[in-house]
């Protein structure tokens, strides 16, 4: 076989030649990215370091001096003491007012309870007096009824009657009783003495 026969195909030779160029471009791109990142980090560090003294200077400007701090602290303490005293005074005042209101309320309740008790006792006393008066009236009425009944019974016991016998008239009945015919008529009002009958009872005394 000749040297010409050992020569590679054109497409294979071209592929092999292009391979190192492709690897070099990829490597170059990666290196460029690393450099960019490194530069960015360094810039951030520089900016941060430059910000520190600026921040310290600003803090120094905003920081008050010692005399102002003392005056502010003293003023603040005085204000706190004044506020505390005022608060304590107001608390005592509120406590005193609350105590006074509580005592007034208790006194009012006590007076109200005493008034209600007195009213209840008065009502009970009035009711008792009314009951006693009603009882006395009943007793008096019962006594009057008893006396009237006794008087009526006494009168009934004093009354005497006569029975008209067969053939007797009013005159004979009056004569037997020892009274006049007019008295007999008085003792028997509403009775017709001219027509009395046997067995009829006539009052004779």
């Amino acid at each position: 076989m000749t040297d010409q026969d050992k020569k590679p195909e054109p497409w294979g030779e071209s592929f092999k030649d292009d391979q190192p160029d492709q690897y070099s471009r990829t490597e170059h791109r990666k290196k460029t990215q690393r450099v960019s990142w490194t530069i960015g980090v360094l810039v951030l560090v520089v900016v941060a370091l430059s910000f520190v003294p600026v921040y310290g200077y600003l803090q120094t400007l905003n920081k008050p001096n010692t005399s102002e701090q003392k005056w502010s602290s003293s003023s603040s303490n005085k204000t706190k003491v004044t506020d505390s005293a005022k608060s304590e005074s107001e608390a005592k005042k509120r406590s005193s007012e609350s105590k006074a209101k509580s005592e007034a309320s208790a006194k009012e309740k006590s007076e109200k309870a005493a008034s209600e008790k007195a009213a209840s006792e008065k009502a009970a006393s009035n009711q008792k007096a009314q009951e006693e008066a009603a009882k006395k009236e009943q007793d008096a009425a019962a006594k009057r009824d008893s006396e009237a009944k006794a008087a009526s019974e006494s009168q009934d016991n004093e009354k005497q009657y006569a029975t008209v016998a067969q053939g007797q008239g009013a005159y004979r009945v009056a004569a037997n009783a020892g009274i006049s015919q007019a008295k007999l008529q008085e003792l028997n009002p509403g009775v017709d003495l001219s027509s009395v009958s046997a067995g009829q009872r006539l009052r004779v005394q």
Side-chain angles (χ1 to χ4, degrees):
M1 181 181 289
T2 61
D3 294 335
Q4 291 181 355
D5 295 334
K6 292 180 181 180
K7 188 176 181 179
E9 298 295 333
W11 54 83
E13 184 177 355
S14 175
F15 178 75
K16 289 179 181 179
D17 293 340
D18 292 339
Q19 225 173 9
D21 294 338
Q22 291 177 358
Y23 287 150
S24 63
R25 284 197 298 269
T26 304
E27 195 70 26
H28 178 70
R29 192 181 303 114
K30 290 181 179 180
K31 287 181 180 182
T32 303
Q33 289 178 354
R34 283 196 296 268
V35 171
S36 299
W37 277 105
T38 305
I39 292 172
V41 171
L42 290 175
V43 171
L44 290 176
V45 171
V46 171
V47 171
L49 292 175
S50 63
F51 180 74
V52 170
V54 174
Y55 178 77
Y57 177 73
L58 293 175
Q59 287 291 102
T60 304
L61 291 177
N62 294 329
K63 187 176 181 181
N65 55 32
T66 305
S67 60
E68 290 178 351
Q69 286 181 350
K70 289 182 179 180
W71 179 84
S72 177
S73 177
S74 176
S75 177
S76 177
N77 291 334
K78 288 181 181 179
T79 304
K80 288 181 180 179
V81 171
T82 304
D83 292 343
S84 177
K86 186 177 180 181
S87 177
E88 185 177 354
S89 176
E90 290 178 353
K92 288 182 179 180
K93 185 178 179 181
R94 285 195 297 268
S95 177
S96 177
E97 291 176 353
S98 177
K99 186 177 180 181
K101 287 182 180 179
S102 178
E103 290 177 354
S105 178
K107 185 178 180 181
E108 184 179 357
K109 288 181 180 179
S110 177
E111 291 177 353
K112 186 177 180 181
S115 177
E116 290 178 354
K117 184 178 180 181
S120 177
E121 291 177 353
K122 185 177 180 180
S125 178
N126 292 337
Q127 184 177 0
K128 186 176 180 180
Q130 291 176 359
E131 290 176 355
E132 290 178 354
K135 186 177 181 181
K136 287 181 180 179
E137 183 67 24
Q138 289 177 357
D139 293 342
K143 186 177 180 180
R144 287 194 298 269
D145 292 342
S146 178
E147 290 176 352
K149 185 177 180 181
S152 177
E153 289 177 355
S154 177
Q155 289 177 0
D156 290 341
N157 291 332
E158 291 176 357
K159 293 177 182 179
Q160 292 182 7
Y161 292 87
T163 304
V164 179
Q166 186 70 31
Q168 285 185 345
Y171 175 78
R172 176 56 59 189
V173 173
N176 290 340
I179 58 175
S180 64
Q181 191 172 354
K183 181 67 175 178
L184 183 64
Q185 183 65 58
E186 181 183 349
L187 293 173
N188 297 276
V191 177
D192 187 6
L193 296 179
S194 61
S195 60
V196 294
S197 59
Q200 185 176 357
R201 294 182 75 231
L202 296 175
R203 182 182 175 186
V204 295
Q205 190 174 349

